Amino acid sequence: MPVITLLSDFGTRDYFAGAVKGVLLSLNPDVTLVDISHDIPPQDIFTGAFTLGQAYSCFPAGTIHFAVVDPGVGTGRKALAAAAAGHYFVAPDNGILTYIMQAHEDFVAHEITADHYFRKPVSATFHGRDVFGPVAAWISRGIELHQLGPVLQSPARLQIPALKKVRDALIQGTVLAVDRFGNLITNLKPEDVSMPFKILAGQREITALRKTYGEGTQDELIVVPGSAGYLEIAIKGGSASAALSMRAGAPIGVILQ
């Protein structure tokens, strides 16, 4: 039974996510639908890309991933269907597949131009329902990507922040994402730092490295190796994002002592 995952900024208050599921089931009632998230912040392609990049590989080969955070809906931005590592992806060409492209050399994308696979009429403001949903369903029914349109040679990519060496003992990093608990997921990996170190974040200095969120004292700012493979800034019993007034994209510094 084919699996289709759904990731969007649609939320659950409106009809958007439900309508997409209805279209998918109408075209393939045998598909299994799994929500990754519909709570991506509105129009936040960067967070959408990060979330998809952490979740897709947990699913079996052959899974089709619907990933729609689409502030450019109805404009000249392209629609694409892609494949990598045995998975399929249906998404706007706006960089939301950046982490997939970085991780897999076999990534290939096709521009979706075969509009006879679309739901008609196509709304200029809801391609999730009328373009991406139907295309994902048709892929689940065995349509090959080349039937959807030509190969897209240079899909859009986001600029994922890289670590920057400022001085011999100073590294500049970035907050990649903030989870719902307020943990700041940085672009630092455990191997990027050596003890002792000091992280500078929101005019605070953090030196405590812990294995779990529950270690340390109440309200203590700590650094934890997170499940995504990156170091996270957390606070026991609270939100590091709120305590430091920091969001995704915020810079951090690392002093190696």
Side-chain angles (χ1 to χ4, degrees), residues 40-60:
I40 301 302
Q43 305 181 14
D44 188 345
I45 301 168
F46 195 94
T47 297
F50 178 83
T51 303
L52 179 66
Q54 301 308 316
Y56 79 96
S57 62
C58 297
F59 290 87

Side-chain angles (χ1 to χ4, degrees), residues 7 16 18 23 25 28 30 41 59-60 86 93 121 132 138 146 171 178 207 215-216 218 226 228-229 231 243 249:
L7 179 144
F16 308 130
V23 168
L25 292 171
N28 189 350
D30 294 325
F59 290 87
D93 181 31
F132 300 112
W138 280 110
H146 69 83
I171 300 171
V178 180
T207 58
E215 294 183 18
Q218 191 71 16
L231 293 179

Side-chain angles (χ1 to χ4, degrees), residues 128-154:
R129 178 193 65 191
D130 299 338
V131 176
F132 300 112
V135 166
W138 280 110
I139 293 172
S140 76
R141 292 179 56 172
I143 292 295
E144 300 287 341
L145 297 193
H146 69 83
Q147 295 176 261
L148 298 169
V151 171
L152 185 61
Q153 296 294 342
S154 300

Side-chain angles (χ1 to χ4, degrees), residues 32 43 75 77 79 91 102 111 143 157 228 243:
T32 296
Q43 305 181 14
T75 69
R77 70 94 183 93
Q102 286 188 343
E111 182 182 355
I143 292 295
R157 287 178 180 250

Side-chain angles (χ1 to χ4, degrees), residues 7-11 16 38-49 68-73 75 92 94-96 125 158 247-248:
L7 179 144
S8 78
D9 58 351
F10 296 159
F16 308 130
H38 294 294
D39 292 324
I40 301 302
Q43 305 181 14
D44 188 345
I45 301 168
F46 195 94
T47 297
V68 177
V69 179
D70 193 16
V73 62
T75 69
N94 60 12
I96 197 168
T125 61
L158 301 175
R247 303 174 63 183

Side-chain angles (χ1 to χ4, degrees), residues 82-103:
H87 293 249
Y88 299 95
F89 304 87
V90 181
D93 181 31
N94 60 12
I96 197 168
L97 301 184
T98 296
Y99 285 91
I100 316 301
M101 288 186 264
Q102 286 188 343

